[in-house]
Amino acid sequence: MNSKAADPEAQGGGGDDLRVGLLKSNGDGNKLVIDEMLRRHAGEMGRWQMRHFLLTTLAWSLEAFHTMVMIFADREPAWRCSGLGFCPPDPCGLGPGDWGWIDGSGVSTVAEWGLVCGEKYKVGLVQSAFFLGCMIGAGLFGHLSDSFLGRKGSLTAVCILNTIFGLLTSMSPNYWVYFILRLLTGFSTGGVGLCAFVLATEPIGPSKRAIAGMSTFYFFSGGIALLSGTAYIFKSWRTLYIATSLPSLLFLFAIIPFISESPRWYLVRRRINDAMSVMRAIAQTNGKHIPDGVTLILDDDNDDDVCDEKLEPSNQTQAISGSLVDVIRSPITRNRLFLSIAINFLTSVVYYGLSLNVVNLKTNLYLSVFLNAVSEMPAFLLTALLLNWLGRKPLCASTMFLSGVSCVIGSLLSNSGTMKVPRLVCGLIGIFGMAATYNLLFIYTSELFPTVVRSAALGGASQAAQMGAILAPMVVVLGDTIPFVVFGFCGVLGGLLAFLLPETMNKPLYDTIGGLVEGEKSERVNVKVEMF
């Protein structure tokens, strides 16, 4: 049987679970897929995985810095009239000498380059440029992460680029140089969370992987909360860009040397010796032992074709690689990819659309951003608690419906008088549901695709999400009612599309497309046998 098995105990059932028959091993049990080796010999979530997970997921804070810094760097600061007469609500009708910025022109790009009135569109333009860069970078680094560069190599590359582009941004002489550098920063930032997520979760066993994956997003929200304090200290937008770029340099030298490459990537690249070295390190640190003679096998390998770790690299089978083209060629993965792209796009439109109003709340910006970040954390906790109880598909659909329906109700309420409060509550419920969905989708999407194309598929889904982020500001400016209608429609439609995806809870994390196809066939056969 050319597939791998999930842990029967993790499935909440006994030894009669249908997936127990999907174990991939030879007759004497010496050749195992990674999930089975983790379960039997190395440990699914021991000291090695905890240390590696915490170090790797710190990169999510870096992504939060580079993404959300625009809230503070591109804000419109307070201004005042120079004269003693009547002061209008905006400076557009005043002459150059009739008004000025209270804290000076160096506090933000808006103040320094006069991005107000007829130039105000440039603020949204540079924001869209950043997310456009993220969209391009997510696709490219998703492919590089699956191919020769690897997960760790790709994460190293994006940290180097983020440091360089971030520091150069702080020295921008004019708006258009700033525009280009933010586009480039988005390009590198688009690969940070993607590479970190895959690298952090792939060495973890199947019964612990979902909870660990959901925990990565606390680091993103924590990064946003930390950013609000950093921005409060560094009031100048130029010093703020320096302060938010240097952590990438620190991560590069203080964290990455202590991170290991994914054993799954080594395995699909046919580097069996390297994959086994990582697995032995995991077992040793976890206080376990891999017996002599036990080696790894891909889920679609025949036992006679397995690469023996004693063979020289030149004698081993050619490395397996994949791309989005391979995903599209297979009917199973093609349907999953198109649905994942659509759901990620719809989720991003709602999540970023509801989040971008923070600068329009007319409250303390630093406190508002901090509270907004903290308010997302209960959604992560609730999702983590329900993930292995309800399953991926029902939870994804439920959170999207929750957000969509609350936005529809919000569109029916007035934005004045006593209706402001319930309308605000609808928006908070909407962002709560979408924060849960947005992070659940990383887990769900990564489990829908095999190792050989996992990062590429995640990259494609991330590109769709970035496209949603690009369009979200355009929806926000449509008025008071229309945005809620659009967000409600997107939430409900996304929930319906989620029902078309397969459930992945307690299923094997396949290595190759062939292994996925054969595993799905085997499961259908076992289900039919069980029915009769």
Side-chain angles (χ1 to χ4, degrees), residues 166-190:
L167 293 176
L168 288 176
T169 301
S170 70
M171 297 181 283
S172 301
N174 56 58
Y175 170 81
W176 291 111
V177 173
Y178 177 73
F179 176 91
I180 294 173
L181 287 171
R182 284 300 287 167
L183 174 67
L184 294 174
T185 304
F187 169 76
S188 53
T189 301

Side-chain angles (χ1 to χ4, degrees), residues 286-500:
N286 291 347
K288 297 180 178 292
H289 174 69
I290 298 178
D292 294 337
V294 174
T295 189
L296 289 168
I297 188 173
L298 286 170
D299 48 28
D300 69 342
D301 275 333
N302 294 317
D303 292 338
D304 295 337
D305 298 331
V306 175
C307 301
D308 195 304
E309 63 171 325
K310 297 180 181 179
L311 295 177
E312 296 297 326
S314 60
N315 294 328
Q316 292 182 4
T317 309
Q318 185 179 2
I320 297 177
S321 61
S323 65
L324 282 179
V325 175
D326 300 300
V327 178
I328 295 173
R329 284 175 179 168
S330 171
I332 291 180
T333 54
R334 179 172 61 244
N335 293 338
R336 295 182 178 190
L337 177 65
F338 290 160
L339 287 170
S340 297
I341 285 175
I343 295 171
N344 273 272
F345 172 81
L346 296 170
T347 300
S348 187
V349 169
V350 182
Y351 176 79
Y352 283 103
L354 291 174
S355 299
L356 286 176
N357 269 336
V358 66
V359 294
N360 297 320
L361 296 178
K362 306 303 180 184
T363 57
N364 185 292
L365 182 60
Y366 306 100
L367 181 61
S368 296
V369 172
F370 176 81
L371 294 177
N372 192 50
V374 173
S375 66
E376 293 183 3
M377 294 183 180
F380 306 156
L381 177 61
L382 180 63
T383 307
L385 293 175
L386 297 177
L387 195 61
N388 286 331
W389 181 46
L390 294 179
R392 281 60 161 160
K393 180 165 70 172
L395 188 58
C396 181
S398 299
T399 53
M400 294 201 79
F401 279 137
L402 173 65
S403 181
V405 171
S406 66
C407 288
V408 170
I409 295 175
S411 69
L412 301 176
L413 302 177
S414 172
N415 194 29
S416 61
T418 57
M419 289 294 101
K420 279 187 175 182
V421 174
R423 200 167 193 263
L424 175 62
V425 172
C426 288
L428 291 175
I429 296 175
I431 198 170
F432 176 88
M434 276 305 162
T437 307
Y438 200 96
N439 301 305
L440 167 64
L441 284 176
F442 264 84
I443 295 288
Y444 202 0
T445 307
S446 67
E447 292 180 344
L448 285 170
F449 300 93
T451 302
V452 70
V453 293
R454 183 169 299 118
S455 289
L458 270 173
S462 296
Q463 284 182 301
Q466 298 304 335
M467 180 61 73
I470 292 172
L471 295 179
M474 303 178 188
V475 177
V476 173
V477 300
L478 294 178
D480 292 335
T481 303
I482 295 179
F484 266 106
V485 174
V486 174
F487 300 152
F489 172 79
C490 290
V492 173
L493 177 59
L496 293 174
L497 292 178
F499 280 115
L500 301 178

Side-chain angles (χ1 to χ4, degrees), residues 178-242:
Y178 177 73
F179 176 91
I180 294 173
L181 287 171
R182 284 300 287 167
L183 174 67
L184 294 174
T185 304
F187 169 76
S188 53
T189 301
V192 175
L194 169 68
C195 298
F197 179 86
V198 175
L199 183 58
T201 56
E202 282 192 337
I204 298 174
S207 68
K208 310 295 183 183
R209 191 178 301 121
I211 297 295
M214 286 303 302
S215 300
T216 61
F217 305 105
Y218 287 104
F219 289 82
F220 185 81
S221 295
I224 298 175
L226 184 60
L227 173 65
S228 64
T230 304
Y232 183 79
I233 296 172
F234 299 99
K235 298 296 179 66
S236 167
W237 73 270
R238 293 185 184 274
T239 56
L240 180 59
Y241 269 112
I242 295 174

